[in-house]
Amino acid sequence: MLRKKRTAELISQTSFASRPIQKITAEEIKSDLKKFANMKKPNGKYKYSQSYLDKIFSVTRQTFFYAVDNDKLTLEQSPFKTKTKVKRPKAGKKTRKVSPLDIEETKKFLKQLTIETDKYKDELWFITLTGVRPGECLALKSKKCKMKERSNKIKRFTN
């Protein structure tokens, strides 16, 4: 939720944010997205990762599609559907390759969990051994799980 709020705050700082949606051009959006892609921290490193730029782009695009769906714009007027179509910005920040733990690393991690007294120890065990996402793990309720010997049957992740 905080990321969505921060994304909305960033978009509100763009040059087009306070203008009527019908008057915003593809060039304005491209220019502002490019500024985000090239923005640097005081230490000289790029400020935003590709995944964060993708989020800014996605929320901006969704806003225009919402305007089309609600008859505030025609599809032909949308900067995301015109000939000068807005494309995803490319981050200057290098993308890090993320890879899963191999079996030996997993064993070391689980061994360390037996030593540590971390308050998230049980969740980390569950996530590691089942492969569920952290958000899915934290959304689980015991009444929605059927535990059997050496297996979990998760019926539903939502309320």
Side-chain angles (χ1 to χ4, degrees):
M1 201 61 181
L2 290 175
R3 184 174 179 180
K4 285 185 178 183
K5 183 179 177 184
R6 180 68 181 131
T7 303
E9 288 170 0
L10 283 173
I11 294 169
S12 72
Q13 295 171 15
T14 61
S15 62
F16 59 83
S18 59
R19 299 190 36 237
I21 199 162
Q22 299 85 350
K23 296 187 180 195
I24 300 170
T25 66
E27 291 308 315
E28 290 174 293
I29 297 170
K30 287 179 189 177
S31 173
D32 281 344
L33 292 178
K34 192 173 183 177
K35 286 178 191 171
F36 286 128
N38 295 325
M39 201 174 285
K40 292 187 177 183
K41 296 177 184 178
N43 65 5
K45 292 184 178 183
Y46 286 99
K47 193 167 185 176
Y48 299 111
S49 66
Q50 186 62 51
S51 65
Y52 205 69
L53 290 173
D54 288 347
K55 188 62 148 173
I56 294 168
F57 173 83
S58 179
V59 171
T60 305
R61 185 180 62 187
Q62 287 171 4
T63 303
F64 280 87
F65 288 154
Y66 181 84
V68 169
D69 289 345
N70 289 282
D71 300 322
K72 304 293 180 196
L73 275 179
T74 64
L75 191 57
E76 294 77 33
Q77 289 175 304
S78 174
F80 292 88
K81 290 291 182 181
T82 60
K83 287 181 182 176
T84 58
K85 181 172 144 169
V86 178
K87 295 181 178 127
R88 288 186 188 278
K90 298 290 181 208
K93 190 176 197 176
K94 296 210 187 254
T95 303
R96 289 184 293 172
K97 185 175 180 183
V98 179
S99 58
L101 300 177
D102 63 28
I103 293 174
E104 288 305 312
E105 291 170 326
T106 303
K107 287 177 182 177
K108 287 179 187 176
F109 177 69
L110 293 174
K111 185 177 180 181
Q112 189 64 33
L113 280 180
T114 61
I115 300 166
E116 297 290 328
T117 56
D118 191 275
K119 68 179 183 176
Y120 297 109
K121 184 175 172 175
D122 293 335
E123 289 86 348
L124 292 170
W125 268 96
F126 186 77
I127 289 166
T128 305
L129 296 175
T130 63
V132 300
R133 296 177 181 138
E136 292 171 334
C137 173
L138 297 173
L140 287 174
K141 294 186 168 90
S142 60
K143 65 183 177 182
K144 303 221 172 140
C145 298
K146 185 175 181 182
M147 305 297 265
K148 291 183 178 179
E149 187 178 329
R150 301 189 74 197
S151 68
N152 293 331
K153 185 171 183 181
I154 301 168
K155 291 186 177 183
R156 203 169 107 193
F157 286 116
T158 58
N159 293 340

